[in-house]
Amino acid sequence: LLRSILGNKNTLLKKIIRKIFKKLRIDMVRPTSPDLHALVKRYAYEKTFQVLSYNNTDSFVDTAKNAGSLSALQGDLKMATKSDVVLYTNTHIKSNEMPEIINELKSTCTQKLIFHTKNYDPKSTEQLLIDSGFETRERHIFPSEICFVCKVKD
């Protein structure tokens, strides 16, 4: 960022800007995982929201409530109810279970799906989502995590 603004010269100015960023506690390093709370805030407003996960997800429900969702639920995929926006986050999905899970999510989600997992090939995961009837709107791809925001196709 600094190189594009200042070029390769002005090292004194670069040091000053870095010091300002450090004082303001602004991290200049690229994030290593998707900001799921920001995605929940963006998509849960005035929608029914549901978190389906095997991890601790109380904070996502609180984020959705604070963002103005009509209802925010937490549960298991097997007992899920229909919701406008569904956040599915699971770090330990077996590859043979992935198509079945995505099909179950399709029957649960009416508008948007936020699908988050770790250690999977982004292209094959996105293709599974597309084949199951989702349209990819956003891709958040990191070295060990992926997150897709999808819209349900009509």
Side-chain angles (χ1 to χ4, degrees):
L1 177 68
L2 291 175
R3 190 173 293 142
S4 64
I5 295 171
L6 302 173
N8 290 330
K9 299 176 183 170
N10 295 326
T11 55
L12 179 63
L13 192 55
K14 286 181 189 177
K15 287 179 183 178
I16 292 170
I17 291 173
R18 282 193 187 108
K19 197 168 212 169
I20 291 170
F21 272 77
K22 191 173 183 179
K23 289 267 185 195
L24 295 175
R25 295 183 184 187
I26 298 173
D27 192 7
M28 295 177 62
V29 179
R30 183 172 186 244
T32 58
S33 63
D35 188 355
L36 296 176
H37 289 280
L39 292 173
V40 169
K41 285 179 187 175
R42 186 180 317 153
Y43 291 109
Y45 179 71
E46 292 189 354
K47 304 268 193 274
T48 58
F49 177 78
Q50 187 168 198
V51 180
L52 303 175
S53 174
Y54 295 101
N55 309 329
N56 184 10
T57 56
D58 291 339
S59 62
F60 295 120
V61 172
D62 292 339
T63 300
K65 287 178 181 176
N66 292 337
S69 73
L70 299 176
S71 70
L73 304 171
Q74 174 182 345
D76 190 335
L77 187 58
K78 292 176 177 43
M79 301 183 331
T81 60
K82 285 207 176 266
S83 297
D84 295 334
V85 178
V86 174
L87 167 64
Y88 180 80
T89 176
N90 192 346
T91 55
H92 305 290
I93 305 173
K94 295 177 185 170
S95 58
N96 59 345
E97 296 175 348
M98 185 80 86
E100 181 183 329
I101 289 171
I102 292 174
N103 284 330
E104 288 182 37
L105 289 170
K106 172 76 167 135
S107 65
T108 305
C109 183
T110 60
Q111 291 181 14
K112 296 259 194 272
L113 169 67
I114 304 169
F115 185 86
H116 171 251
T117 189
K118 292 186 177 184
N119 300 325
Y120 277 95
D121 177 40
K123 290 181 181 179
S124 64
T125 305
E126 184 175 14
Q127 192 59 47
L128 277 172
L129 288 163
I130 291 168
D131 293 343
S132 296
F134 290 102
E135 181 181 332
T136 306
R137 294 296 189 168
E138 295 180 35
R139 294 170 192 84
H140 302 273
I141 300 171
F142 294 89
S144 65
E145 295 183 41
I146 56 173
C147 180
F148 293 102
V149 176
C150 304
K151 180 183 174 195
V152 177
K153 288 182 185 176
D154 294 330

